[in-house]
Amino acid sequence: MGRFITVVFLTLLSGLILFHNVCASDESVSNILYEEAVNLRAQQSISKKEHQKAISLLILAAGLGLNPGSREVYLFPSDAKISSAQPQPGPSLPGFPGIHVPDDTHAGALRELAKAFRDGFGVEQHHVLSLELFRRASNLGDPEAQGQMGMRYALGLQEASSWDESGIKSFGQPDEESAMLHYYYGAVGGDDFSRMALGYRHMHGIGVPKSCWTAASYYQPVAEKTADLSTKPGTLPQVERIRLYIQSSQGLKADRHREVVQYYQYSADRGNVDAQTAVGQVLNYGTHGVQRDHVQALHYFQRAAEAGDHDAMAHLGHMYANGYGTAQNYAQAQKWFQSAATHGSASAQYGLGYMHLTGQGMTEDHEKAFKFFSQAAEQGHADAHFYMGIMHLKGLGVRRKSVQRAFSYFTLASHAGHVLAMYNAATMHLSGKGTIRTCKPALLLMKQISERGPPATSLQLGHEHFFHSQYRQSLLHYLEAAEMGMELGQSNAAWMLNRGYVRAGGLLPNVTFSLEKRSADQGNVASLLRMGDAYLYGEGVEQDWIRSAAVYYEAYQERSAEAMFNLGYMHEFGIGVPKDLKLARRFYNMAKHTQSDASIAVYIANAWLSVHEAWDAVYPYVPPQLVPFWSRVSTLHPPHTTILGPWAAVLKGALRSQALFQAELGLWRVVDATGVIPLVTALLSGEAGKDFSETAVLLAMVIVLYVVLRARRQRAAARGGQGDAAQAGFMGQDMGAVPGIRQADAQFPAGGLQQDAGTEQQQDPARGQAQDGAAH
């Protein structure tokens, strides 16, 4: 009997072990398929066929079951349908009864499938399916999916009804509690998106208690990763600082920077030395939409250096020291560094200092290294400042260690955007080494560093989709950046929604106002002005003229001409502020002196103000029977923001909406035929068309403007044909050359050399101690 029990027990144990091994084997296979798909999708250039292969691998890894003949089958590539045609057990996705997800599915594979349907890589874009896949992966504990769902809850996009296949359809009611819950679990799991979102919210007290130290704790891991990546070439994303509202005033044209680079390349090929150096920089860094090409960069630098360009000589030194576009050659690097350093090149002086510090290509000599770093630092070279901080911190080439001096040099380098220096300064602020222990400056530095890391890719994708007219995708990426606290994403997303690039229903005005407020809180004056407009017109927030005036006054403190003009208007009619015609004229004139382009608008405003003063002067003598009419003409009452508002409202009630629309459309055609639309648009700063009442004001201003311009042309003709001066302030500004294209070390991480010198790495709060040889 005892032997029988033993045999049964051993049999059961063997079965359990076999079952465990089979499950482990299945899990291992899923992980292998998942890793293969992720590696395939991570390649820089991937064909459509390879995208579809990755989708098939992800379906197999997730164990998805597709019902044969269901409509969902056609959402996947043809080879994926064959491999997953057999229905598998498991619940179906909400809204997609033909797709079954096993209970033991691979959460990462589901998340990658959700991203594929969001971006349209390897499959047709389908945001509703993407939402449900993100939701299922989030419920299974995937940190990145939890971050994506947190964003959707925060913006009111958590319901399928908020989406259609191509993007956002309407904004629903946000669910802040669920958003915070998803962000928290995502951050705990290591998702950088969630960490940055929570860091930003704790920084400003949005939905969570305001706490500098808590915010810094969320930003710190992301900043540390970014600091590590900054020592490796090509690992940090190149993000252009494109503000759409500025670009719109210059003409929204795709690939403008690329066209400028093409012009420079044409000039370089024809022998222009400055252009050769500039093109070499662009090719070496891979900026302005140009693919990085070290071989071509070396070619242009060599031509410019042989022609005597000192900046090109310094760049050649860095390229030979790094082995970029050529074999690594320290002798050649030293030759070009010395040639450029004798002419005062800070970049070359830094290069020689680094070679002496690390002993690369020459004898290690810390005193000479400090001497060359000092020469470069005197010219403001950020990398030289950073390594002088390292040398003071470790006592290399100096009489004694000095943490205070190290902190000073890190601070100088951080002002120039040196990532490692910024991280060192932040950690020293937090730990109280070399300075008093304080959180706020450390938090600001951590935030800036984090916004240069891989999460910033969302911002660049937003730019690229926008200039390819893929506005819905662009908006989604800008909203991702906005949730991470990136002011540029907040500003661009709000501008797109305000201008109607994406027509979404629901609570769109509320979302727009929220984005503008967050952007304004981070110092964007244009967003502050739009906040004032929102309070003035009651868009996305309850109409409040007093708060509108307060916001305009805040923008006025930042020397905003538009705010000055708006305050003049508000004082003229007593909107949210005391009526004061003299003060109104002062604000109008300040706007003209602050921004010359406002001259014509101020001229018209002052002309009307003179009429207003005369009107008010006659008021005491008006018969009592006419007092109501007289005061109604010169006074504004909510919700009307123009003197013609009440009359337009009466007209609106008298006409059917369709007839009114056709009448307004006809009016715009007449005005457009006169050719003054661009001029009037500049005068009104894009705020025309708020409602029918403002159309009436526009017509009145066009008439007055025509009279003024005609009189000016007649006077100018008498003076010899200078009649075009009235429109000089409204000419579009040219974008000019590529920003910073002649700066020898612009955006060059640590001067160029990115090879580790093998120095000892120490776990010190001042992270730069581990980066002595991080980069040349």
Side-chain angles (χ1 to χ4, degrees):
M1 184 65 180
R3 182 178 298 176
F4 175 74
I5 294 174
T6 302
V7 171
V8 171
F9 174 76
L10 291 175
T11 303
L12 290 174
L13 183 61
S14 301
L16 288 172
I17 293 173
L18 180 62
F19 178 75
H20 178 270
N21 290 337
V22 169
C23 291
S25 176
D26 289 343
E27 184 177 348
S28 176
V29 170
S30 295
N31 284 331
I32 292 172
L33 294 171
Y34 167 74
E35 293 294 339
E36 184 179 351
V38 170
N39 292 335
L40 190 61
R41 283 164 55 85
Q43 296 177 11
Q44 286 189 350
S45 56
I46 178 172
S47 66
K48 181 179 179 181
K49 187 175 181 180
E50 288 173 321
H51 270 303
Q52 292 177 344
K53 178 183 177 182
I55 295 298
S56 298
L57 292 171
L58 290 172
I59 291 173
L60 291 172
L64 291 189
L66 301 177
N67 290 342
S70 66
R71 62 183 178 86
E72 287 83 2
V73 171
Y74 300 98
L75 297 174
F76 296 89
S78 56
D79 56 346
K81 298 172 196 171
I82 297 170
S83 63
S84 56
Q86 295 299 323
Q88 298 183 16
S92 61
L93 282 176
F96 299 91
I99 301 177
H100 297 270
V101 183
D103 294 330
D104 59 347
T105 186
H106 193 290
L110 281 186
R111 176 242 304 151
E112 289 300 315
L113 281 171
K115 290 164 65 175
F117 279 105
R118 179 195 65 187
D119 301 327
F121 289 158
V123 290
E124 291 295 325
Q125 202 172 58
H126 201 300
H127 283 276
V128 181
L129 179 54
S130 173
L131 172 69
E132 297 304 333
L133 289 170
F134 272 133
R135 197 192 309 275
R136 182 62 63 87
S138 172
N139 293 339
L140 291 169
D142 183 79
E144 188 175 347
Q146 288 166 339
Q148 287 292 320
M149 286 307 301
M151 182 195 77
R152 284 156 176 76
Y153 278 107
L155 295 170
L157 299 172
Q158 68 272 24
E159 302 296 336
S161 57
S162 294
W163 302 84
D164 57 22
E165 287 81 359
S166 58
I168 298 172
K169 185 171 66 175
S170 66
F171 291 92
Q173 187 66 39
D175 186 343
E176 285 291 331
E177 292 183 359
S178 296
M180 294 304 99
L181 190 65
H182 281 80
Y183 280 148
Y184 173 76
Y185 281 109
V188 169
D191 177 47
D192 288 342
F193 178 90
S194 300
R195 286 170 171 168
M196 291 180 67
L198 281 179
Y200 170 71
R201 285 171 172 267
H202 278 289
M203 184 178 185
H204 293 275
I206 302 173
V208 292
K210 187 175 182 178
S211 171
C212 179
W213 294 98
T214 304
S217 70
Y218 281 114
Y219 275 119
Q220 190 275 333
V222 187
E224 183 177 6
K225 286 183 184 178
T226 305
D228 287 339
L229 289 173
S230 70
T231 66
K232 303 170 186 175
T235 53
L236 292 181
Q238 294 288 344
V239 180
E240 297 172 283
R241 303 290 298 177
I242 297 175
R243 291 196 180 275
L244 296 182
Y245 70 85
I246 294 178
Q247 290 282 74
S248 66
S249 65
Q250 300 171 342
L252 288 168
K253 185 177 180 182
D255 302 330
R256 177 61 186 257
H257 283 177
R258 294 176 179 84
E259 291 178 3
V260 174
V261 172
Q262 288 172 4
Y263 170 75
Y264 267 78
Q265 193 162 5
Y266 170 78
S267 299
D269 291 337
R270 294 178 64 86
N272 186 315
V273 176
D274 288 341
Q276 288 167 353
T277 304
V279 172
Q281 285 183 275
V282 171
L283 289 168
N284 198 29
Y285 309 145
T287 59
H288 303 294
V290 177
Q291 288 292 328
R292 183 175 300 204
D293 189 334
H294 292 311
V295 175
Q296 280 295 308
L298 184 74
H299 165 72
Y300 282 109
F301 283 143
Q302 214 138 26
R303 290 179 61 186
E306 290 169 358
D309 189 283
H310 308 143
D311 291 340
M313 293 176 187
H315 277 294
L316 271 181
H318 288 301
M319 296 193 76
Y320 276 111
N322 276 292
Y324 290 164
T326 182
Q328 193 174 53
N329 189 327
Y330 289 127
Q332 281 291 317
Q334 183 180 0
K335 167 194 166 184
W336 288 112
F337 280 148
Q338 288 177 339
S339 297
T342 55
H343 293 90
S345 168
S347 179
Q349 290 164 349
Y350 160 75
L352 288 172
Y354 186 87
M355 294 181 79
H356 280 293
L357 175 67
T358 60
Q360 293 180 349
M362 58 181 63
T363 304
E364 187 173 316
D365 189 330
H366 293 160
E367 291 184 0
K368 284 187 177 180
F370 191 83
K371 173 187 173 183
F372 281 115
F373 284 147
S374 298
Q375 292 174 357
E378 287 175 1
Q379 300 184 61
H381 196 280
D383 295 311
H385 281 138
F386 170 73
Y387 278 102
M388 287 184 74
I390 293 295
M391 296 183 78
H392 276 291
L393 193 66
K394 303 184 75 172
L396 302 175
V398 294
R399 292 183 179 180
R400 60 180 180 272
K401 294 181 180 181
S402 175
V403 179
Q404 289 77 15
R405 287 194 176 186
F407 174 77
S408 298
Y409 281 114
F410 289 147
T411 301
L412 287 171
S414 67
H415 290 164
H418 194 286
V419 174
L420 285 173
M422 292 166 70
Y423 187 84
N424 285 1
T427 55
M428 293 176 82
H429 272 297
L430 290 174
S431 61
K433 289 189 175 182
T435 184
I436 59 172
R437 188 169 184 261
T438 180
C439 177
K440 188 174 180 180
L443 175 58
L444 292 174
L445 288 169
M446 293 285 188
K447 183 176 185 292
Q448 291 173 28
I449 298 168
S450 300
E451 291 177 357
R452 297 186 177 200
T457 305
S458 295
L459 207 53
Q460 185 63 25
L461 289 173
H463 301 332
E464 293 175 3
H465 284 299
F466 182 88
F467 286 109
H468 285 89
S469 301
Q470 298 167 343
Y471 299 128
R472 285 183 152 192
Q473 281 296 95
S474 174
L475 175 64
L476 186 58
H477 287 297
Y478 281 142
L479 288 174
E480 287 181 350
E483 274 297 296
M484 288 187 283
M486 297 184 190
E487 187 278 322
L488 195 58
Q490 295 165 348
S491 172
N492 285 350
W495 185 85
M496 288 185 68
L497 292 173
N498 202 26
R499 290 300 183 93
Y501 279 91
V502 176
R503 298 194 177 276
L507 301 178
L508 182 143
N510 305 66
V511 173
T512 305
F513 179 80
S514 176
L515 290 167
E516 288 168 348
K517 185 177 186 304
R518 294 180 185 184
S519 173
D521 288 343
Q522 298 195 67
N524 189 314
V525 179
S527 295
L528 198 61
L529 284 169
R530 291 196 291 269
M531 270 184 66
D533 296 343
Y535 280 119
L536 181 66
Y537 296 105
E539 295 180 343
V541 69
E542 185 178 351
Q543 190 176 41
D544 189 334
W545 287 350
I546 295 177
R547 295 191 70 175
S548 175
V551 172
Y552 285 143
Y553 263 104
E554 190 176 344
Y556 156 66
Q557 298 296 328
E558 301 294 332
R559 305 296 299 165
S560 167
E562 292 89 342
M564 296 172 187
F565 189 91
N566 291 348
L567 286 171
Y569 183 80
M570 298 185 83
H571 275 290
E572 180 179 355
F573 291 99
I575 305 176
V577 292
K579 184 175 180 178
D580 189 331
L581 300 187
K582 291 183 179 179
L583 187 57
R585 191 179 295 277
R586 286 181 61 188
F587 273 116
Y588 285 145
N589 291 333
M590 276 194 291
K592 179 180 67 175
H593 292 307
T594 303
Q595 185 174 327
S596 59
D597 290 357
S599 298
I600 296 180
V602 171
Y603 184 92
I604 295 172
N606 279 331
W608 171 255
L609 186 58
S610 298
V611 175
H612 197 162
E613 288 172 336
W615 192 275
D616 285 0
V618 177
Y619 181 77
Y621 308 102
V622 173
Q625 297 84 353
L626 296 179
V627 166
F629 167 78
W630 206 268
S631 60
R632 190 175 185 182
V633 169
S634 60
T635 307
L636 298 181
H637 299 284
H640 307 296
T641 56
T642 65
I643 59 174
L644 296 180
W647 311 102
V650 172
L651 183 60
K652 231 175 193 180
L655 297 175
R656 292 182 303 173
S657 59
Q658 186 63 27
L660 184 63
F661 172 76
Q662 293 297 334
E664 187 172 357
L665 186 61
L667 175 63
W668 273 106
R669 286 173 178 167
V670 172
V671 174
D672 186 51
T674 65
V676 297
I677 286 292
L679 184 59
V680 178
T681 301
L683 288 172
L684 297 178
S685 302
E687 297 299 332
K690 289 286 184 181
D691 53 27
F692 180 77
S693 62
E694 291 209 43
T695 303
V697 173
L698 172 62
L699 180 60
M701 292 183 70
V702 169
I703 295 172
V704 175
L705 182 61
Y706 174 78
V707 174
V708 172
L709 292 180
R710 180 176 179 132
R712 284 196 174 191
R713 280 197 297 270
Q714 291 173 347
R715 288 199 302 269
R719 292 196 301 268
Q722 300 177 359
D724 292 333
Q727 298 185 14
F730 293 90
M731 299 299 292
Q733 299 178 2
D734 187 75
M735 292 180 66
V738 177
I741 205 165
R742 284 290 296 129
Q743 296 180 11
D745 291 286
Q747 299 180 358
F748 203 46
L753 289 180
Q754 301 288 341
Q755 305 299 322
D756 196 320
T759 54
E760 181 182 359
Q761 298 194 7
Q762 303 179 26
Q763 298 301 321
D764 190 274
R767 189 170 184 78
Q769 297 181 59
Q771 306 295 341
D772 286 5
H776 236 247

